[in-house]
Amino acid sequence: MHALLITLLVIVSIGLIVVVLLQSGKSAGLSGAISGGAEQLFGKQKARGLDAVLQKITIVLAVLFFVLTILIAYVGL
């Protein structure tokens, strides 16, 4: 059981890294980081097309990563 969880965690981790690296940057520089967060928070910028799909995949993989990590910690005890 533990080996299966570790294997799944490695696969999910690699997938999460690949999906994050495939995403395009929202804005560059310090000024873009400050204003870009506010625009995304209030919904002025909507993700479209491939960016929306990659964002949803990132969320799913991140949740799987946390769940698998907690399960491995629980099974390890």
Side-chain angles (χ1 to χ4, degrees):
M1 178 71 173
H2 188 69
L4 176 67
L5 289 175
I6 294 287
T7 305
L8 285 175
L9 183 65
V10 169
I11 293 169
V12 168
S13 299
I14 292 171
L16 186 59
I17 291 169
V18 168
V19 170
V20 167
L21 289 175
L22 284 175
Q23 292 180 8
S24 62
K26 299 296 179 195
S27 27
L30 183 59
S31 63
I34 293 171
S35 66
E39 288 177 359
Q40 188 176 13
L41 179 64
F42 296 115
K44 290 183 182 176
Q45 271 185 329
K46 296 288 184 183
R48 294 188 183 135
L50 183 61
D51 288 332
V53 173
L54 289 175
Q55 185 178 10
K56 289 178 184 178
I57 293 172
T58 302
I59 292 170
V60 170
L61 288 176
V63 169
L64 279 173
F65 178 81
F66 285 116
V67 168
L68 286 171
T69 304
I70 291 169
L71 281 174
I72 288 172
Y74 180 72
V75 170
L77 295 177

